[in-house]
Amino acid sequence: MKKILVTGATGQLGSELMVLSNNYSQFEWVFADRNQVSLDNLDVLRSQLETIHPNFILNCGAYTAVDKAETEHELANIVNHLAVGIIAQYAKDRSVKLIQISTDYVFDGTSSVALTEEAITKPINIYGATKRAGELTCLKLNPDAIIIRTSWVYSRFGNNFVKTMQRLLQERDTISVVNDQIGSPTYAADLAQVLMDIVTAEEWISGIYNYSNEGEISWFEFVLAIQEIGGYTCEVNGIASSAYPTPAKRPAFSLLDKSKIKEVFSINVPHYKDSLRRCMRLLRSE
């Protein structure tokens, strides 16, 4: 029985993979939290991997506090870059299949068309820079790895934009949301299924792939969709990013082109609103 190691097991994607694992009993699953696989402790990381001895690694663990990364540069770099290098080298040395999760934040947001995997990268914040460094190290040390860039991830697990907006839409009479950052959300349950579609595919085809749900929207439009599906009456106003300053800059445009992953792995990509409905239905039932 082949063994799948999932790092970042308590995060949104890791939690969705734990649910999905019930459909893939042909594998032995190891869901590792930060104690079992310490991405922030490079001295013990390789020995931890040797102990688990997986056949597949789905590296869902990351430093994702985008604003805090501006002041915790060293920690973000260890987790998102240096630890990825150790995992990639281990996977190469042991012929382990590795899927590394990356981000739309590797781009600067100046594009006006959906970004392909070959688009020029130019991160505008520390988080994006460390994730891009992780990509480069991963590809250099392990050309057989697969990297999946995703964006605006949410889930019924953990803290995320959808759950926060649901709460605010019920608590407040009015909220303001930025309307000049364009992209597409990713339901972590959909991304988890994509990972397993790749793991179980007839052929492993390495390289970088983009994945998010279909649709081109702003955060403001995302909230309007949450409002519509939830039937909330709170007034939602669109504002410019300049009116809501944050320590880390965000890309103004980070819509991902999914053509490659659709073609190579025959992936069906749901529309963001369909996936949002599914997630909110599960949240209501909890």
Side-chain angles (χ1 to χ4, degrees), residues 55-122:
N55 302 101
F56 294 88
I57 300 175
L58 310 182
N59 188 24
C60 307
Y63 181 106
T64 57
V66 177
D67 288 323
K68 284 181 67 177
E70 296 297 305
T71 54
E72 295 186 351
H73 184 181
E74 185 177 357
L75 179 57
N77 190 59
I78 289 171
V79 175
N80 292 342
H81 171 207
L82 301 181
V84 172
I86 290 175
I87 293 171
Q89 187 64 63
Y90 169 82
K92 178 73 165 59
D93 294 343
R94 297 288 183 266
S95 298
V96 173
K97 298 300 186 185
L98 168 63
I99 301 181
Q100 169 67 29
I101 304 300
S102 193
T103 174
D104 60 317
Y105 278 38
V106 299
F107 300 111
D108 65 5
T110 60
S111 177
S112 58
V113 296
L115 294 146
T116 68
E117 290 80 0
E118 289 75 37
I120 295 172
T121 57
K122 189 179 179 182

Side-chain angles (χ1 to χ4, degrees), residues 67-280:
D67 288 323
K68 284 181 67 177
E70 296 297 305
T71 54
E72 295 186 351
H73 184 181
E74 185 177 357
L75 179 57
N77 190 59
I78 289 171
V79 175
N80 292 342
H81 171 207
L82 301 181
V84 172
I86 290 175
I87 293 171
Q89 187 64 63
Y90 169 82
K92 178 73 165 59
D93 294 343
R94 297 288 183 266
S95 298
V96 173
K97 298 300 186 185
L98 168 63
I99 301 181
Q100 169 67 29
I101 304 300
S102 193
T103 174
D104 60 317
Y105 278 38
V106 299
F107 300 111
D108 65 5
T110 60
S111 177
S112 58
V113 296
L115 294 146
T116 68
E117 290 80 0
E118 289 75 37
I120 295 172
T121 57
K122 189 179 179 182
I124 57 174
N125 57 43
I126 297 298
Y127 167 70
T130 59
K131 291 295 286 184
R132 178 56 179 159
E135 286 186 358
L136 292 170
T137 296
C138 183
L139 293 172
K140 179 181 178 182
L141 297 177
N142 189 346
D144 190 49
I146 288 174
I147 294 172
I148 299 182
R149 291 174 180 155
T150 190
S151 61
W152 301 17
V153 177
Y154 70 92
S155 165
R156 61 183 164 125
F157 301 105
N159 297 316
N160 57 69
F161 185 79
V162 170
K163 292 169 76 172
T164 298
M165 288 301 113
Q166 274 194 295
R167 176 176 56 80
L168 294 178
L169 285 165
Q170 294 175 80
E171 291 178 353
R172 299 185 182 179
D173 296 325
T174 179
I175 59 174
S176 298
V177 187
V178 295
N179 60 8
D180 56 0
Q181 294 174 17
I182 305 299
S184 187
T186 304
Y187 182 25
D190 293 339
L191 180 54
Q193 184 61 62
V194 168
L195 298 189
M196 292 313 300
D197 288 345
I198 293 173
V199 166
T200 56
E202 291 185 6
E203 186 177 3
W204 180 274
I205 303 174
S206 61
I208 298 177
Y209 296 86
N210 293 334
Y211 183 84
S212 67
N213 288 124
E214 296 285 19
E216 177 179 343
I217 58 171
S218 66
W219 290 105
F220 169 68
E221 291 168 310
F222 194 18
V223 175
L224 291 181
I226 296 169
Q227 181 188 45
E228 175 193 333
I229 294 167
Y232 307 123
T233 57
C234 173
E235 180 183 346
V236 183
N237 299 310
I239 59 171
S241 298
S242 57
Y244 186 73
T246 55
K249 292 181 180 178
R250 266 67 170 173
F253 185 95
S254 59
L255 184 67
L256 300 173
D257 184 313
K258 278 83 68 174
S259 302
K260 181 180 177 182
I261 201 167
K262 290 179 189 176
E263 181 179 345
V264 173
F265 291 109
S266 301
I267 299 297
N268 175 48
V269 182
H271 191 269
Y272 87 89
K273 197 173 277 191
D274 294 331
S275 293
L276 180 59
R277 285 193 189 96
R278 284 191 288 122
C279 181
M280 290 180 65

